[in-house]
Amino acid sequence: YSASWVSNWNYETSIVTTLIGSSSHFEVAIAVATTAFSTTYPGAALATVIGPLMEVPLMLSLTKFGLWSKRYFPRKERMRT
């Protein structure tokens, strides 16, 4: 998100890129972990439950922060001399 601010992207592009990048393929990773490690590592089932419980509040916090910081996008152009 900060890299898109430095790059002077508009808000819509910045927030979409950040949200997709931070949660990309999360569900697939849970399914693969459960399938691969459920019989040999019983803790894998617990991890697949805890993961989404942590992801949802983090994504909501990121969304709230994105809405709060919307006013800073895009940065103002500097005066060129």
Side-chain angles (χ1 to χ4, degrees), residues 21-49:
S22 62
S23 69
S24 183
H25 306 294
F26 185 74
E27 293 79 12
V28 174
I30 290 175
V32 169
T34 304
T35 304
F37 301 113
S38 63
T39 57
T40 55
Y41 299 105
L46 177 64
T48 59
V49 171

Side-chain angles (χ1 to χ4, degrees), residues 14-24 59 62-63:
S14 300
I15 197 67
V16 167
T17 303
T18 302
L19 290 173
I20 290 173
S22 62
S23 69
S24 183
M59 293 303 291
L62 183 60
T63 302

Side-chain angles (χ1 to χ4, degrees), residues 44-70:
L46 177 64
T48 59
V49 171
I50 300 298
L53 292 177
M54 290 174 53
E55 183 196 22
V56 171
L58 288 173
M59 293 303 291
L60 289 173
S61 298
L62 183 60
T63 302
K64 186 167 178 110
F65 177 74
L67 289 171
W68 175 82
S69 63
K70 181 178 183 176

Side-chain angles (χ1 to χ4, degrees), residues 67-81:
L67 289 171
W68 175 82
S69 63
K70 181 178 183 176
R71 61 182 169 227
Y72 298 110
F73 284 87
R75 292 182 297 132
K76 305 288 186 219
E77 289 289 327
R78 293 185 180 173
M79 297 292 291
R80 297 180 189 210
T81 57

